[in-house]
Amino acid sequence: MKWKILAAIAFALVLAGAVAAADLTAPSQNDEIVTVDGIDFKIPAGFSEDPDFAINGEANETGGITYTTWGKTFEKASTILSVAVATYDGADVNDEVARYVGDEKMSINGVDGYNYTMGPFNGFTYAKNGKLVIITSNDEGILEDVVVK
């Protein structure tokens, strides 16, 4: 439970900070494609969603800019995985916003974005279809399993 709360806090901090400033192979039979606000994510087999930590169109405002967030959190043993999508009112998110959130430019599965670290969590953030996409986990190795081009 503590990890899930930390993941939710990490999402909130990353999204607030953003305001201030190779193809995947087919999923295995047990992997699940999950769509959050029009963006697809591949959730590896064995993860189950925790609906208590879902973000369902939560509107927030920072620095005079309003944004709406949708997200889901999954767990498998001690591994937490969260995916979120933020839409900014009146503005299309571009690479510059994703860069503000992330540390170092990188590419995962042919998707260009930025990695970041926040406490025990690692993440990958990128712009897609005018939205900010954020993937966070306490297992850095899982990030490349989740990104869908």
Side-chain angles (χ1 to χ4, degrees):
M1 180 71 116
K2 180 174 106 178
W3 288 109
K4 290 185 234 178
I5 292 169
L6 285 173
I9 291 169
F11 266 143
L13 291 173
V14 167
L15 289 172
V19 173
D23 295 327
L24 281 175
T25 56
S28 77
Q29 292 178 353
N30 296 320
D31 292 341
E32 179 181 1
I33 298 296
V34 171
T35 302
V36 176
D37 196 25
I39 306 295
D40 290 336
F41 301 93
K42 184 177 81 167
I43 306 303
F47 277 85
S48 0
E49 183 177 354
D50 187 337
D52 292 337
F53 288 91
I55 303 170
N56 295 309
E58 183 177 309
N60 292 290
E61 183 179 344
T62 298
I65 298 174
T66 302
Y67 60 96
T68 304
T69 307
W70 299 85
K72 295 181 181 237
T73 297
F74 303 85
E75 63 183 326
K76 178 181 177 182
S78 62
T79 303
I80 303 298
L81 168 64
S82 293
V83 296
V85 177
T87 304
Y88 293 76
D89 292 349
D92 281 343
V93 172
N94 57 29
D95 189 59
E96 192 171 318
V97 174
R99 183 181 60 192
Y100 181 81
V101 173
D103 298 323
E104 182 178 310
K105 187 159 183 107
M106 64 184 296
S107 182
I108 296 180
N109 301 326
V111 175
D112 292 331
Y114 298 86
N115 70 335
Y116 66 90
T117 303
M118 184 175 291
F121 295 95
N122 294 290
F124 182 65
T125 184
Y126 57 97
K128 184 171 185 175
N129 301 336
K131 302 172 183 181
L132 181 65
V133 179
I134 299 171
I135 303 168
T136 305
S137 181
N138 60 335
D139 177 358
E140 183 177 11
I142 201 161
L143 298 176
E144 64 187 48
D145 294 334
V146 179
V147 177
V148 175
K149 185 170 185 179

